[in-house]
Amino acid sequence: MLLGIHIPFLFFLRPYLVFPAARHSESCSVVFESHDGYALFGHQFIKFNVSDYSECALKCMANDTCHSYNLQAKSSRHKHQMCELNNQSRISKPGDFKHRQGYVYNGAVPVSCVPKICIGEEDCQCHPGYKGPGCLTVRLGHFAVNPGKSCKHILESNDSEGDGEYWIDPEGKGNSLKVYCDMKTDGGGWLLTSIFMVDNPTTPPAWTAEPSYRGIIKFTNHKMGITISAMKELRGHLPFTQMRFHCSKQQGRTFHVTTAVNSSGEAVVEYFSNQTNTMPDSCLSFVRMKDDNSYLSGNCSRWGYDGSSNFVGKWGHKNRQGETRLYDLTALVGKHYRWRTTGKYRLCDDNKNDTFINLSKGDFWKIFVR
């Protein structure tokens, strides 16, 4: 028994130990995550000398009080390893989880209940987040303890279950974050890095750009954007090669483009991830998506302002080179068509002659990377 959960059988698999649900039933699963060079301090209630990893794991599972254990790393100089059973875990006592040279931490993490509906041996439906024979394999990105590197990584691992929320760990340090992934558009694998959605047309929400890329977890508030320095930080951990800009007004038009996979597209990515201040060429740098009906995308040679002239064929505005250049006149044709989510107006291919298209509930601006 562990955490009040019956374990019909188990199998050992580093870095995770999974306790699967019984067939034709609904039982909760527990995953034992493993972290080399770490331990939980101050919660040991018993210690053993053990001969191997599995012996320590079994001692924890046989004790109702055990929620995790610290195991001394295997050494050629010592026949036995020290096994310390803890009555708490990294999840319950995060402040006591620290570096400890020569040890490996293993802690219980309840993940989900896993119902399986099996009519026959070859007709079995798994709970979301699980796959494979017996529904015993945890899909990448569906739980914090088993994150993907990126949305694209999850997609290419065949673990995507469509658009939605997934767990990723761009730094690979066990500090995962829940993000939104678009798994369908243009082949999928897109990570949402900015979203502004109109909930109340009369009072567009004020917002402040997040200074860290980890601010992308705030996508549910519909007013999330990160600075170009944060975008650079993200690219340092997750070397994305494309960006996608998508805005739409119900009473207006839709601007929807993805940067091209060429040197011009790469220049755009570098410009908006704070790797250069050189305004990139607009034409040949992007590809129009099927739903794009904007005037902006059809007039790329007239984009931009270089400080003295409009219509210079460039992304951006010379006087908008700060941390929010992703949102302030990112793409524009003079005083006509513009992308903007800062200041008084929210503009999506708006023309001044349109007297700026009225906002409606559900209008949005989104930026993705892949």
Side-chain angles (χ1 to χ4, degrees):
M1 299 287 290
L2 178 64
L3 303 179
I5 299 167
H6 176 66
I7 304 168
F9 63 93
L10 60 91
F11 61 91
F12 294 98
L13 176 64
R14 296 290 305 273
Y16 303 108
L17 285 174
V18 180
F19 300 90
R23 189 173 178 78
H24 303 298
S25 67
E26 182 175 328
S27 302
C28 286
S29 295
V30 169
V31 174
F32 261 77
E33 57 174 348
S34 179
H35 294 275
D36 291 334
Y38 285 83
L40 190 71
F41 286 79
H43 302 285
Q44 297 86 6
F45 66 90
I46 193 168
K47 299 180 180 180
F48 301 93
N49 280 320
V50 296
S51 58
D52 58 28
Y53 171 83
S54 60
E55 184 179 352
C56 189
L58 286 169
K59 286 184 178 295
C60 182
M61 288 186 288
N63 192 308
D64 290 339
T65 305
C66 184
H67 288 206
S68 67
Y69 57 90
N70 308 318
L71 178 65
Q72 189 178 30
K74 193 75 171 179
S75 171
S76 58
R77 299 190 309 169
H78 299 95
K79 183 177 180 181
H80 297 287
Q81 298 171 263
M82 176 62 67
C83 171
E84 302 173 347
L85 305 189
N86 305 316
N87 58 15
Q88 298 291 337
S89 71
R90 179 180 72 89
I91 305 302
S92 61
K93 297 292 181 180
D96 298 327
F97 180 66
K98 302 175 183 178
H99 284 285
R100 187 180 183 185
Q101 188 67 32
Y103 274 76
V104 179
Y105 166 85
N106 293 267
V109 181
V111 288
S112 177
C113 288
V114 190
K116 294 194 302 175
I117 305 171
C118 300
I119 300 172
E121 288 298 323
E122 297 180 357
D123 187 10
C124 186
Q125 298 178 8
C126 298
H127 185 279
Y130 294 85
K131 66 179 182 179
C135 300
L136 301 180
T137 303
V138 180
R139 288 182 179 272
L140 195 68
H142 290 259
F143 304 105
V145 295
N146 191 33
K149 173 74 173 177
S150 65
C151 296
K152 185 178 180 182
H153 178 209
I154 295 169
L155 181 70
E156 293 178 343
S157 299
N158 296 318
D159 285 329
S160 165
E161 291 186 337
D163 298 345
E165 298 177 1
Y166 292 86
W167 291 90
I168 65 170
D169 182 9
E171 299 179 47
K173 295 182 178 179
N175 192 13
S176 56
L177 58 160
K178 185 184 286 188
V179 299
Y180 185 87
C181 298
D182 178 340
M183 296 300 198
K184 297 177 182 178
T185 304
D186 191 41
W190 295 98
L191 168 63
L192 180 67
T193 58
S194 302
I195 178 172
F196 305 97
M197 184 172 289
V198 176
D199 296 319
N200 186 341
T202 60
T203 56
W207 66 278
T208 302
E210 298 289 333
S212 167
Y213 83 87
R214 297 187 69 85
I216 61 178
I217 65 174
K218 298 181 180 181
F219 64 91
T220 57
N221 69 14
H222 292 171
K223 54 177 182 178
M224 177 274 294
I226 62 176
T227 63
I228 58 172
S229 292
M231 192 68 80
K232 182 178 181 179
E233 179 191 13
L234 175 61
R235 201 178 192 210
H237 300 303
L238 194 166
F240 55 86
T241 58
Q242 288 183 280
M243 300 181 69
R244 181 159 60 88
F245 298 84
H246 189 189
C247 68
S248 184
K249 281 188 170 182
Q250 295 177 49
Q251 298 185 52
R253 295 176 291 275
T254 295
F255 174 67
H256 193 187
V257 302
T258 179
T259 57
V261 185
N262 58 26
S263 58
S264 295
E266 171 61 21
V268 177
V269 174
E270 291 179 356
Y271 180 69
F272 289 117
S273 59
N274 204 25
Q275 295 174 284
T276 179
N277 286 322
T278 301
M279 294 167 61
D281 292 337
S282 47
C283 293
L284 303 181
S285 71
F286 65 85
V287 177
R288 299 177 71 170
M289 298 291 100
K290 291 181 179 180
D291 59 342
D292 178 276
N293 62 358
S294 68
Y295 294 125
L296 264 175
S297 60
N299 290 274
C300 64
S301 64
R302 294 171 58 80
W303 283 23
Y305 175 74
D306 65 4
S308 59
S309 301
N310 287 305
F311 318 127
V312 292
K314 303 284 186 180
W315 284 80
H317 189 292
K318 190 67 174 180
N319 297 337
R320 305 291 196 275
Q321 293 278 25
E323 287 289 348
T324 57
R325 72 170 63 152
L326 269 166
Y327 317 104
D328 192 359
L329 303 182
T330 306
L332 74 152
V333 174
K335 295 182 178 180
H336 303 287
Y337 317 113
R338 282 157 285 185
W339 165 295
R340 190 175 189 181
T341 58
T342 60
K344 181 179 180 181
Y345 298 104
R346 301 294 191 268
L347 308 178
C348 176
D349 201 48
D350 289 39
N351 187 334
K352 189 173 184 179
N353 294 330
D354 296 334
T355 62
F356 302 130
I357 300 165
N358 291 332
L359 292 175
S360 302
K361 184 176 182 179
D363 291 353
F364 66 83
W365 290 254
K366 299 176 183 179
I367 300 175
F368 298 83
V369 301
R370 176 174 70 181

